[in-house]
């Protein structure tokens, strides 16, 4: 087994545990490279079928290429796609810095969707190497009744034994690709020939490393126009992946505050 | 504070992600002995910090009016930075000349021991850090013990803050001897003991003039000396079943190969039941089937050459090297829950994918591994370790951890949350023989051959209801009716079987469950061979009936004979009600109202409002409507 085989096997194990132990699951699909790999892994885990809905909590501010991608592959991959919308910015905590406030719409959208469908498990494609508070996540991460993350009281999780009994009305976040890195994602996307949104590839000397909303995501300088070149670039770069995500950099704890409140 | 370190002497290696060995290392030790600082220093000196991170840390430190603080790199949470402690485990990657390292930072505070264990359970090796001034402390010993318990055998010891003891070789020697003695007593030999100053950089990637008396490895060299986890392929096959999927016409058994390997054609045994089968195919996606052996670590899906009942929690093994089935385990565990674990406690045990209720029969040798003083024998306190005897409600397949580290470990859940875990020391194999030489013989006839003759497929018609509700009468009518149409029905009456096959069973809940299990097994055997087994049994417990449904799977048709209790008692065909009213029939179902009516029966019939013929017709319609009866039925009776 090579490194990618190991990552894949572990993710499949997590998917199957989630499906076996929770009643009502959904997979959060943000259309980016990570969640596309995640859907691919779900299809591996369940032999071609994704046996739970893919939920897109839509800020309605994604790039047009992302919507086109969603509509094409939801059909091609046979997904039970659910699209739900986020509340307007006016309804969001005005004390948050601007980009964080904009991102917090998604947290609120998530809460609405959770209440609407009654999911007890939300599968999300976050990775430890993306951001320092995500590095502290559990694979099965309990959320409080308000969707919040209690970082001081995370349950023990060892030897691939997961806590899968959320209290009534609360839910679990399940993170099947927590152990992957950005390089792993690209190497696997290449190996498995998983489709990607062209925004990740260089256009006029710039490309997106991470795709969020149009207004709070910026491209990085890059000439990488295929996955081989992206992998070469990543091996050389010391620029963090989320450098183009404004919300991470507004205040020291902007991202932590968002995550504690229920952000991904 | 000196942060102008020697320029990174180790550029990131240019190799690809898939070629270099990856090793997972946990850093543990007493609080404030300098774990996070060492991690920050390691990342910096191996050139693994992203751009802008150093500046960010300087700014974060300055904002708090503090000297430069490396630990802010990993202590990402506000509380951690404000209080200067690591609360939760984190993971970060860096590269040494020969390895990709996943570094797991684990908190030192006793309060967060569960987080330390969460981190350490993933590791191939460990760095145990000790403050040169303070020496070996409680938490050092506790962590040493837990590493041993978690099965982390490779431990490199780092003696930090040598600058505080004037780089004294004598002090280093003293601590080396103490920790070596402690670890050796646990069966762990330190792979290296390195004197360093994480803050100033001595001994991390270079041996500086300050420690010129030391000629052993640096921290990075010690890390390069740790080897990735041993391959589990050489051990016997263990494939715990995660689930059975039927998304299409395949019935796929899914799970991860924990050890050994598996491939098409293998003869396997499913434990703890001991059923035997052959692997028909290994399924996958997008390509299927896959050929070649599937080794340890692979998440696989297999199909079997026969329809067996198996379920999540079963363990697939090779026939000649099966794990033992048991209801009794002895385990060495660590306890993380606020409330102590007491003898007699009811808990949930998870072993692989198996979960079962269990009770703690006895507790021995409960100690605080920080003090290593024996303190209790009736309970295990929070963050303490102990040896326990566990009695399991259901049989499980288990190995002692010395035979198999993957299937020889368990966790204990209290109120839906993992509260402890540990190693299986020994397995009491119970009374059941290990069924290595039981190989079921298949019928010479295929089910279709019988179907063609009888005009129906196999089924289990399970009649449940109060005594006197009319089950046996209805069963006999149905038997006659199906037979007269050319079918092959067979009556399995609960009372009749109790006179023979089940004569050893009484009426305790356990015996009743076993009675139902045997009825279900026999009925299923008949149904698989194309007969219609008509079971008439009170079967009062819904759990027992659920078990019968699991055994018979899609062959099962439940008919609830829902005749009102008063009518049943007035009929009293066997005189049971009268005896029970007279107090002469303990455990009689009907008077004590312990009958649990089915919620999802395929059919409900009240024989007080239906004639026997009408009721039998209804069941016949159920069988026709659910695909059991098919084709033009020959009503032989009509031709007479």
């Amino acid at each position: 087994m090579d490194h990618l085989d190991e990552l894949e096997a572990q993710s499949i194990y997590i998917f199957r545990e989630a499906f076996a132990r929770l009643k009502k699951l959904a997979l959060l699909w943000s259309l980016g490279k990570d969640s596309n790999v995640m859907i691919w892994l779900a299809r591996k885990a369940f032999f071609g079928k994704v046996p739970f809905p893919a939920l897109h909590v839509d800020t309605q501010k994604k790039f047009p290429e992302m919507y086109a991608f969603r509509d094409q592959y939801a059909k091609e991959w046979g997904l039970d796609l659910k699209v739900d919308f986020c509340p307007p910015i006016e309804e969001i905590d005005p004390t948050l810095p601007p980009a964080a406030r904009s991102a917090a719409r998604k947290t609120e959208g998530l809460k609405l969707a959770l209440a609407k469908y009654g999911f007890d498990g939300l599968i999300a494609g976050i990775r430890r190497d993306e951001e320092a508070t995500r590095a502290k996540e559990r694979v099965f991460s309990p959320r409080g009744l308000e969707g919040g993350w209690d970082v001081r009281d995370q349950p023990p999780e060892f030897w691939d034994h997961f806590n899968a009994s959320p209290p009534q009305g609360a839910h679990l976040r399940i993170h099947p690709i927590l152990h992957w890195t950005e390089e792993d994602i690209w190497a696997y996307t290449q190996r498995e020939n998983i489709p990607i949104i062209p925004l990740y590839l260089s256009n006029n000397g710039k490309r997106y490393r991470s795709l969020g909303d149009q207004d709070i995501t910026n491209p990085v300088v890059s000439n990488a126009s295929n996955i081989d070149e992206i992998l070469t670039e990543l091996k050389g770069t010391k620029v963090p992946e989320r450098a183009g995500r404004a919300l991470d950099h507004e205040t020291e704890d902007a991202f932590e505050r968002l995550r504690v409140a229920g952000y991904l | 504070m000196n942060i102008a370190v020697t320029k990174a002497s180790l550029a990131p290696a240019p190799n690809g992600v898939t070629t270099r060995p990856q090793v997972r290392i946990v850093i543990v030790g007493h609080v404030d002995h300098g774990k996070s600082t060492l991690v920050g220093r390691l990342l910096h000196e191996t050139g693994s910090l992203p751009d802008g991170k150093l500046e960010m840390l300087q700014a974060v430190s300055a904002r708090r009016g503090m000297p430069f603080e490396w630990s802010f790199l990993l202590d990402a949470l506000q509380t951690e930075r404000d209080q200067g402690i690591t609360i939760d485990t984190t993971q970060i990657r860096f590269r040494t000349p020969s390895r990709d390292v996943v570094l797991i930072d684990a908190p030192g505070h006793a309060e967060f021991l569960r987080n330390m264990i969460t981190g350490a359970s993933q590791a191939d090796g460990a760095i145990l850090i000790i403050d040169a001034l303070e020496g070996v402390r409680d938490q050092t010993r506790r962590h040493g013990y837990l590493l041993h318990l978690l099965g982390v055998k490779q431990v490199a010891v780092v003696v930090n803050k040598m600058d505080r003891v004037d780089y004294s070789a004598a002090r280093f020697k003293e601590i080396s001897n103490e920790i070596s003695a402690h670890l050796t007593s646990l069966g762990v030999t330190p792979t290296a003991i390195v004197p360093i100053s994480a803050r100033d950089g001595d001994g991390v990637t270079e041996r500086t003039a300050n420690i010129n008396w030391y000629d052993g490895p640096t921290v990075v060299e010690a890390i390069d000396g740790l080897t990735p986890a041993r391959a589990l392929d050489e051990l016997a096959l263990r494939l715990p079943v995660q689930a059975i999927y039927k998304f299409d016409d395949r019935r796929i058994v899914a799970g991860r190969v924990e050890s050994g390997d598996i491939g098409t054609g293998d003869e396997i045994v499913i434990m703890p039941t001991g059923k035997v089968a052959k692997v028909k195919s290994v399924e996958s996606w997008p390509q299927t089937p896959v050929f070649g052996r599937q080794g340890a670590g692979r998440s696989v899906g297999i199909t079997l050459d026969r329809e067996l009942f198996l379920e999540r929690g079963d363990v697939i093994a090779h026939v000649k090297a099966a794990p033992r089935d048991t209801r009794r385990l002895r385990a060495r565990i660590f306890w993380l829950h606020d409330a102590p674990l007491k003898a007699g406690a009811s808990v949930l045990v998870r072993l692989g994918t198996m979960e079962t209720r269990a009770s703690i029969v006895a507790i021995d040798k409960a100690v605080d591994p920080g003090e290593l003083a024996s303190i209790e024998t009736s309970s295990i306190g929070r963050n303490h370790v102990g040896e326990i005897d566990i009695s399991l409600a259901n049989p499980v397949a288990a190995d002692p951890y010395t035979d198999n580290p993957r299937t020889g470990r368990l966790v204990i859940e209290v109120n839906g949350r993992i509260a402890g875990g540990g190693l299986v020391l020994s397995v009491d194999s119970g009374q059941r023989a290990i069924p290595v030489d039981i190989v079921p013989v298949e019928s010479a006839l295929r089910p279709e051959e019988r179907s063609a003759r009888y005009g129906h497929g196999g089924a289990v018609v399970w009649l449940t209801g109060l005594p006197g509700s009319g089950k046996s009468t209805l069963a006999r009518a149905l038997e006659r009716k199906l037979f007269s149409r050319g079918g092959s029905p067979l009556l399995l009456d609960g009372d009749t079987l109790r006179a023979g096959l089940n004569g050893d069973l009484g009426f305790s809940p356990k015996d009743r469950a076993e009675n139902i299990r045997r009825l279900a097994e026999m009925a299923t055997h008949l149904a698989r061979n194309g007969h219609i087994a008509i079971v008439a049994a009170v079967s009062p417990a819904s759990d027992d009936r659920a078990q019968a449904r699991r055994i018979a799977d899609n062959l099962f048709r439940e008919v609830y004979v829902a005749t009102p209790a008063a009518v049943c008692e007035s009929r009293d065909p066997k005189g049971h009600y009268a005896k029970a009213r007279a107090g002469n029939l303990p455990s009689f179902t009907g008077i004590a109202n312990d009958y649990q009516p089915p919620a999802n029966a395929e059919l409900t019939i009240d024989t007080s409002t239906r004639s026997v013929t009408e009721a039998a017709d209804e069941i016949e319609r159920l069988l026709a409507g659910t695909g059991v009866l098919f084709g033009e039925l020959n009503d032989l009776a009509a031709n007479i």
Side-chain angles (χ1 to χ4, degrees):
Chain A
M1 274 177 94
D2 69 19
H3 178 60
L4 292 178
D5 292 334
E6 281 172 22
L7 294 169
E8 178 191 82
Q10 176 71 5
S11 298
I12 290 173
Y13 183 81
I14 295 166
F15 265 117
R16 290 177 177 169
E17 284 301 287
F19 188 50
R21 295 190 56 196
L22 291 161
K23 288 192 193 75
K24 202 155 185 225
L25 283 172
L27 180 149
L28 290 172
W29 190 20
S30 69
L31 321 170
K33 61 188 191 300
D34 303 317
S35 55
N36 295 339
V37 162
M38 194 166 68
I39 289 180
W40 195 264
L41 289 164
R43 296 170 84 200
K44 285 234 180 192
F46 306 111
F47 303 94
K49 179 185 168 66
V50 180
F52 32 75
L55 175 65
H56 181 210
V57 180
D58 191 359
T59 54
Q60 296 171 284
K61 284 158 61 176
K62 300 284 178 198
F63 297 89
E65 291 89 337
M66 296 172 80
Y67 291 111
F69 186 93
R70 180 187 76 189
D71 296 339
Q72 181 184 347
Y73 287 103
K75 199 176 292 173
E76 268 192 50
W77 293 345
L79 301 176
D80 172 11
L81 176 68
K82 298 196 185 305
V83 177
D84 281 75
F85 300 103
C86 303
I89 192 78
E90 295 73 33
E91 293 178 17
I92 307 298
D93 179 1
T95 69
L96 285 167
R101 190 181 180 201
S102 179
R105 287 182 61 220
K106 202 164 159 186
T107 314
E108 295 308 313
L110 256 181
K111 284 184 192 167
L112 292 176
L114 274 165
K116 175 171 160 192
Y117 300 108
F119 296 123
D120 61 355
L122 277 181
I123 304 169
I126 65 164
R127 308 190 322 264
R128 285 203 180 95
D129 76 326
E130 284 177 286
E131 199 277 330
T133 68
R134 285 181 176 170
K136 292 180 184 280
E137 270 288 3
R138 301 287 196 257
V139 176
F140 276 47
S141 183
R143 289 298 189 274
L145 292 173
E146 293 293 305
W149 179 44
D150 187 353
V151 292
R152 296 176 194 219
D153 187 29
Q154 299 201 76
E157 177 174 85
F158 44 90
W159 296 331
D160 290 340
H161 281 285
F162 308 119
N163 295 278
S165 312
Q168 191 68 37
H171 74 283
L172 284 168
R173 296 280 170 86
I174 295 121
H175 301 130
I177 59 166
L178 197 58
H179 53 300
W180 292 55
T181 66
E182 187 183 8
E183 265 185 74
D184 297 331
I185 291 289
W186 282 118
Y188 189 73
T189 300
Q190 185 179 48
R191 180 178 101 169
E192 301 285 315
N193 210 9
I194 303 170
I196 59 165
I197 292 174
L199 293 168
Y200 286 114
L201 304 175
S202 179
N203 181 22
N204 292 326
K206 285 187 169 179
R207 71 176 191 90
Y208 289 88
R209 257 179 92 181
S210 176
L211 284 175
D213 285 356
Q214 281 190 60
D215 56 338
I216 53 173
T217 314
N218 299 306
V220 296
V221 174
S222 166
N223 287 316
S225 58
N226 58 45
I227 298 183
D228 265 330
E229 289 170 12
I230 290 178
L231 284 167
T232 307
E233 178 184 286
L234 289 178
K235 287 181 177 87
T237 187
K238 291 176 85 180
V239 176
E241 179 182 4
R242 294 180 61 93
R245 295 281 197 123
L247 71 97
D248 293 21
H249 314 290
E250 286 174 327
T251 63
E252 187 185 319
D253 64 344
F255 202 71
E256 182 182 341
R257 280 178 66 193
L258 276 171
R259 297 212 68 231
V260 166
Y263 192 74
L264 294 179
Chain B
M1 200 54 48
N2 170 22
I3 60 155
V5 294
T6 17
K7 196 52 218 155
S9 52
L10 299 162
N15 310 46
V17 281
T18 56
T19 53
R20 293 153 53 91
Q22 191 188 66
V23 62
R24 280 167 301 204
I25 298 169
V26 64
I27 296 203
V28 299
H30 197 82
V31 63
D32 282 341
H33 282 197
K35 288 181 297 296
S36 302
T37 309
L38 175 58
V39 175
R41 175 62 69 169
L42 272 169
L43 290 178
H44 178 59
E45 295 206 15
T46 55
S48 309
L49 283 187
D51 285 353
K53 201 73 181 184
L54 203 59
E55 292 73 16
M56 189 273 263
L57 293 178
Q58 280 166 334
V60 170
S61 305
R63 194 175 310 132
R64 286 177 167 72
M66 295 168 64
F68 183 82
E69 186 48 72
W70 277 116
S71 62
F72 286 169
L73 185 62
L74 298 184
D75 293 344
L77 305 173
Q78 288 298 301
T79 334
E80 294 179 314
R81 288 177 179 169
D82 291 344
Q83 299 185 15
I85 56 165
T86 302
I87 293 175
D88 210 339
T89 181
T90 193
Q91 298 196 3
I92 197 153
R93 288 158 192 262
F94 71 95
R95 292 169 169 199
T96 70
S98 67
R99 301 215 191 290
D100 283 347
V101 181
V102 178
L103 197 68
I104 304 162
D105 184 40
H109 262 254
E111 202 182 330
F112 301 116
L113 204 67
R114 63 168 185 270
N115 297 336
M116 177 267 171
I117 287 171
T118 296
S121 73
Q122 315 292 329
D124 305 320
I127 294 175
L128 177 62
I129 194 164
I130 303 171
D131 184 319
L133 199 62
E134 293 198 354
V136 175
R137 296 287 303 275
D138 285 1
Q139 202 70 333
T140 319
R141 278 190 290 269
R142 207 170 271 142
H143 284 183
Y145 193 94
L146 289 170
L147 289 174
H148 149 72
L149 197 60
L150 288 163
V152 181
K153 293 269 179 260
Q154 310 180 75
V155 180
V157 177
V158 163
V159 181
N160 189 25
K161 306 191 190 178
M162 287 301 294
D163 52 309
R164 299 255 212 103
V165 295
D166 296 327
Y167 303 97
S168 159
R171 178 64 181 152
F172 175 69
K173 181 90 176 124
E174 199 181 336
I175 293 173
S176 299
N177 290 342
E178 189 180 351
I179 192 66
S180 290
H182 175 68
L183 290 178
T184 310
S185 75
L186 300 173
V188 176
T189 311
T191 56
I193 303 182
V194 191
I196 69 161
S197 166
R199 186 138 297 188
D200 300 336
D202 305 280
V204 178
T205 55
E206 292 179 16
R207 276 172 292 270
T208 59
N210 290 327
I211 46 169
N212 56 8
W213 44 264
Y214 172 76
D215 58 4
T218 62
V219 176
V220 168
E221 287 163 358
I223 289 171
D224 269 353
L226 302 175
T227 52
R230 187 169 67 102
L232 294 157
D233 295 57
E234 305 104 69
L235 297 174
L237 168 69
R238 295 291 182 265
L239 171 54
V241 174
Q242 279 185 290
I244 320 293
Y245 297 137
K246 260 174 126 172
F247 296 125
D248 45 37
D249 53 353
R250 296 169 296 175
R251 185 166 175 265
I252 300 178
V253 182
R256 182 172 63 188
V257 180
E258 295 293 342
S259 61
D261 61 13
I262 194 168
T264 305
D266 282 14
E267 294 196 339
I268 55 162
V269 57
I270 293 139
M271 297 296 288
T273 55
K275 294 172 188 169
V276 178
K278 265 188 191 164
V279 178
K280 189 164 106 192
S281 65
V282 180
E283 304 290 331
S284 185
W285 181 88
Q287 291 82 36
T288 205
V290 289
F291 299 99
R293 312 292 302 167
Q294 304 295 307
R298 293 259 179 205
S299 287
V300 300
I302 60 172
T303 63
L304 304 180
D305 70 335
R306 63 199 75 170
E307 287 240 334
L308 289 180
F309 170 69
L310 69 174
E311 60 188 331
R312 179 175 163 84
D314 287 346
V315 176
I316 291 174
H318 284 135
V319 170
K320 290 205 167 69
R324 294 207 251 154
D325 76 287
T326 183
R327 285 174 189 266
R328 262 318 248 279
L329 295 172
R330 187 166 182 83
R332 180 182 297 133
I333 63 148
F334 43 83
W335 190 246
L336 301 165
H337 202 56
D338 295 337
L341 179 68
K342 294 193 167 123
S346 281
V347 294
L348 193 80
V349 166
R350 295 188 179 281
L351 215 154
T353 54
M354 173 76 202
E355 84 170 54
T356 175
R357 282 176 294 108
S359 64
I360 308 304
V361 178
I363 290 180
D364 274 337
K365 300 180 196 167
V367 297
D368 176 352
E371 296 162 1
L372 284 184
S374 188
I375 46 167
E376 267 282 8
T377 52
S378 62
S379 71
I380 304 177
R382 181 164 172 248
N383 294 344
H384 292 190
V385 301
E387 284 183 17
I388 60 174
D389 281 328
I390 311 171
S391 169
L392 306 167
N394 297 310
V396 303
D399 294 293
Y401 85 99
T402 45
D403 292 354
N404 192 313
R406 310 291 295 207
T407 45
R409 59 200 191 189
L410 52 83
V411 299
I412 297 173
E413 223 177 83
V414 175
N415 297 334
R417 183 170 163 138
I418 292 172
L423 309 175
V424 176
L425 297 178
S426 62
V427 173
D428 169 4
S429 68
Q431 295 180 331
R432 208 181 305 187
I434 302 167
V436 284
D437 47 8
I438 297 176
V439 182
V441 175
E442 280 185 67
S443 169
L445 304 179
R446 283 176 289 112
E448 309 88 82
E449 294 180 68
R450 291 189 214 263
S451 299
R453 174 170 300 177
Y454 301 143
H456 63 68
V460 174
V461 178
W462 193 280
L463 302 170
T464 171
L466 288 170
S469 59
K471 298 180 299 299
S472 298
T473 310
L474 184 49
R476 286 160 53 88
L478 180 65
E479 189 184 23
R480 171 61 64 193
K481 186 177 183 67
L482 291 172
F483 181 71
S484 64
R485 303 191 113 179
S488 177
L490 256 138
L491 172 63
L492 298 177
D493 180 79
D495 278 4
T496 309
L497 274 108
R498 274 186 176 278
L501 174 70
N502 295 345
D504 58 325
L505 299 174
F507 290 88
S508 69
K510 201 178 142 208
D511 277 3
R512 285 194 151 158
E514 176 62 13
N515 181 45
I516 298 305
R517 188 190 71 79
R518 291 184 197 173
L519 274 173
E521 286 282 357
M522 184 187 265
T524 303
H525 178 73
L526 292 170
R528 290 228 173 99
N529 281 292
H531 306 283
I532 295 177
I534 305 165
V535 179
V538 179
S539 43
S542 55
D543 275 359
D544 294 346
R545 291 194 307 268
Q547 179 185 234
R549 185 184 284 274
R550 280 202 299 275
I551 291 171
D553 204 3
N554 56 359
L555 301 169
F556 199 76
R557 305 285 182 280
E558 188 170 34
V559 178
Y560 175 29
V561 185
T563 310
V567 177
C568 297
E569 183 164 0
S570 69
R571 288 178 182 165
D572 202 10
K574 296 174 183 169
H576 286 156
Y577 282 94
K579 273 193 208 162
R581 289 282 179 211
N584 296 329
L585 203 56
S587 323
F588 175 72
T589 302
I591 304 274
N593 282 331
D594 51 357
Y595 182 82
Q596 300 166 338
N600 301 306
E602 274 80 5
L603 185 63
T604 300
I605 293 175
D606 177 350
T607 62
S608 66
T609 61
R610 287 268 188 297
S611 74
V612 174
T613 313
E614 285 168 351
D617 284 349
E618 275 200 67
I619 299 178
E620 187 183 30
R621 277 197 294 279
L622 166 73
L623 294 176
T626 57
V628 177
L629 302 177
F630 48 78
E632 286 298 310
L633 300 176
N634 299 320
D635 192 339
L636 298 184
N639 293 334
I640 293 170

